[in-house]
Amino acid sequence: MAGASRLARFNIQSNPQPSNPGRPGKKYFVGMPIPAGAGVIAAVVHFSAGNPVLTWWLSAIWLVLMVTSSFLMVSTWRFYSFKEIDWRRRHPFRLIVVVALLFSGIWFFSRPVLFFIAMTYMLSGIFWRLMYLWNRRSGSTPPSTYTEAPELQ
């Protein structure tokens, strides 16, 4: 339902640019994309070996996770899109090593690594939104138009 609502919102909006942090453009998604939301749920199922709901407290955590990912899909919070990475240019050796370690981690330890990647992406949108609210609240006083001249000594 959240995915259908997300798609419907973009089909009926006349101006899809939200008024929250980040520059408009292809650097960010508005709301968590549907494949990422599905990836979060799939990563949790994979992490729990296909049995995500075994006890009542796990079902409560599962419900919170479902509601959170659904909310993030229909929200206007920004999520990094990775679209500005140019894969055709030369890359430093460190990046190649990091990508190789990531792929080998997924190959050998798929359950915890995929779970960590999915949770990190989901929580990144929440983190950046909280940072935006924190910065807006702490720096909300506009600079004064009246400036005092420094005293001469």
Side-chain angles (χ1 to χ4, degrees):
M1 286 178 49
S5 298
R6 177 180 168 78
L7 292 173
R9 178 182 72 210
F10 288 112
N11 286 332
I12 63 171
Q13 262 184 338
S14 60
N15 182 15
Q17 298 297 329
S19 59
N20 64 357
R23 295 181 197 143
K26 64 181 188 174
K27 186 175 181 179
Y28 297 101
F29 290 118
V30 179
M32 188 167 64
I34 295 172
V40 167
I41 302 305
V44 171
V45 171
H46 182 60
F47 182 71
S48 63
N51 297 319
V53 183
L54 296 176
T55 62
W56 70 269
W57 58 273
L58 280 176
S59 62
I61 292 172
W62 183 253
L63 177 66
V64 168
L65 181 68
M66 292 287 290
V67 169
T68 303
S69 63
S70 298
F71 168 75
L72 291 174
M73 281 195 289
V74 297
S75 73
T76 57
W77 296 8
R78 299 235 183 221
F79 284 82
Y80 190 68
S81 69
F82 300 99
K83 290 180 183 178
E84 68 178 11
I85 297 174
D86 185 14
W87 294 103
R88 293 172 288 176
R89 68 177 178 93
R90 294 184 70 193
H91 296 288
F93 180 71
R94 283 185 235 140
L95 180 63
I96 294 170
V97 170
V98 168
V99 170
L101 287 173
L102 181 67
F103 278 115
S104 64
I106 291 172
W107 183 265
F108 292 109
F109 308 103
S110 67
R111 287 183 181 165
V113 172
L114 290 175
F115 180 77
F116 177 76
I117 290 170
M119 291 298 119
T120 301
Y121 188 72
M122 183 178 79
L123 294 174
S124 72
I126 297 169
F127 173 77
W128 290 116
R129 180 62 176 201
L130 291 175
M131 289 301 296
Y132 167 73
L133 292 174
W134 177 265
N135 289 336
R136 193 175 86 184
R137 178 173 286 160
S138 65
S140 63
T141 57
S144 164
T145 57
Y146 174 74
T147 56
E148 296 182 21
E151 293 186 28
L152 299 174
Q153 295 179 356

